[in-house]
Amino acid sequence: MKNLLNKRYFHVLDVNMSLSTVHSTLSSLKTCQTDIGTGMDIVTDVALDVAETAGSENDAVLKKLELMMLECAKLDQEINCFVDVVNCVTAEVRNQEPEAMFRLKSLVKDKFTERHSRLSEGEIQNHGKMVSFKENVTNALKTVNPDAAENMEEELDEDIAVTQSEVNFTCPLTQVEMVNPMKNKKCNHHYDRDAIMGMIKARQNQKKKLRCPVVGCGNTDVKQGDLILDQIMKRQIQKR
């Protein structure tokens, strides 16, 4: 495992480089994270297609897709950990003698190894896109086969309560039909991704909390970590 981690990450620090070059190199990993996120969205779409198609082999296929999601979630968490460690170590080295740069790789390696060992299965299972995958697949199965959905919930350790209600595709912020509907796990309301992310960022800059824009909602602190892409609703919108 250690050799794999060395090969996967530490090659970006193999040459003598300036701090600015280190941070520039890390941007390639962030680009990789974007690709991982896109891949996870594609896997979820495939899983929804499978869930919506009757067949005795579907459970096995969904299980394989779940394992693919877990691997992607783990890789995404590892990259987050590595980038965070590099940023912390370079911040420390910046205030030291220039010779400290020669120890950058070993410092990062030691700190990353320690941080990586603390990554838990629970953190991977709670990855935003992993949670979204479980919820969307469960909802799709409930539409096609309630019994299959119940079994899938047990296998995925889901405890999500799904309520059937009339679907509203209008974003409460823009008052137009959503393109990428984000579901708030705390209050179950939906917003278009660009609109809600923009509002969250604006309130963060003002050092203020964002109240859910749905009239009458008691959620006074909408956070990015509470939002997941509702891919079933997205598919419904696209089919309209």
Side-chain angles (χ1 to χ4, degrees):
M1 181 64 178
K2 184 179 293 186
N3 290 335
L4 177 61
L5 293 177
N6 288 345
K7 184 177 180 181
R8 180 177 287 172
Y9 301 114
F10 296 115
H11 71 280
V12 303
L13 304 173
D14 276 344
V15 296
N16 296 330
M17 54 177 63
S18 66
L19 290 177
S20 60
T21 308
V22 170
H23 290 296
S24 175
T25 306
L26 288 183
S27 67
S28 64
L29 285 177
K30 301 300 288 184
T31 300
C32 179
Q33 277 190 296
T34 300
D35 294 337
I36 290 171
T38 300
M40 294 178 83
D41 289 340
I42 293 172
V43 173
T44 300
D45 278 334
V46 172
L48 290 177
D49 287 335
V50 172
E52 293 170 358
T53 306
S56 58
E57 73 285 355
N58 285 4
D59 285 351
V61 175
L62 289 173
K63 210 55 185 161
K64 289 181 179 179
L65 292 172
E66 180 200 357
L67 291 175
M68 291 175 62
M69 289 290 291
L70 285 171
E71 284 299 313
C72 289
K74 183 178 181 181
L75 181 57
D76 188 58
Q77 294 281 43
E78 286 181 352
I79 293 176
N80 277 335
C81 179
F82 182 76
V83 171
D84 185 49
V85 166
V86 172
N87 286 332
C88 289
V89 172
T90 52
E92 296 172 0
V93 169
R94 184 178 290 109
N95 298 320
Q96 298 177 12
E97 295 296 324
E99 290 77 11
M101 278 296 297
F102 293 106
R103 296 185 292 111
L104 181 63
K105 182 178 178 179
S106 62
L107 291 172
V108 169
K109 183 177 179 180
D110 291 343
K111 200 175 189 69
F112 175 75
T113 301
E114 188 270 329
R115 286 273 299 273
H116 182 267
S117 66
R118 299 205 309 263
L119 285 178
S120 67
E121 183 69 20
E123 289 178 278
I124 297 172
Q125 289 283 355
N126 288 326
H127 186 284
K129 289 187 180 295
M130 193 70 219
V131 173
S132 178
F133 171 85
K134 294 175 182 178
E135 181 173 351
N136 283 304
V137 169
T138 300
N139 289 345
L141 286 172
K142 282 193 172 182
T143 301
V144 178
N145 187 338
D147 292 333
E150 184 177 347
N151 293 335
M152 194 64 183
E153 281 183 315
E154 293 176 357
E155 291 178 6
L156 296 177
D157 295 322
E158 274 297 298
D159 58 356
I160 299 174
V162 180
T163 58
Q164 299 296 326
S165 59
E166 184 178 351
V167 179
N168 183 359
F169 298 130
T170 302
C171 173
L173 289 167
T174 64
Q175 295 302 311
V176 298
E177 187 173 85
M178 292 177 282
V179 177
N180 293 297
M182 302 296 289
K183 179 179 179 180
N184 192 317
K185 294 183 292 183
K186 291 177 66 177
C187 60
N188 292 323
H189 291 132
H190 290 79
Y191 335 96
D192 192 68
R193 181 170 59 195
D194 289 346
I196 192 65
M197 292 305 186
M199 285 294 294
I200 290 175
K201 184 176 181 180
R203 289 306 176 101
Q204 286 177 340
N205 290 338
Q206 298 170 357
K207 299 187 182 327
K208 294 181 179 179
K209 294 180 179 181
L210 174 63
R211 175 184 287 274
C212 177
V214 175
V215 177
C217 181
N219 184 3
T220 60
D221 190 12
V222 176
K223 298 178 180 178
Q224 182 174 341
D226 294 328
L227 304 178
I228 58 174
L229 178 65
D230 190 331
Q231 289 183 268
I232 290 182
M233 180 179 285
K234 182 176 181 178
R235 287 157 69 91
Q236 291 173 333
I237 293 172
Q238 290 172 340
K239 290 176 182 179
R240 283 161 63 83

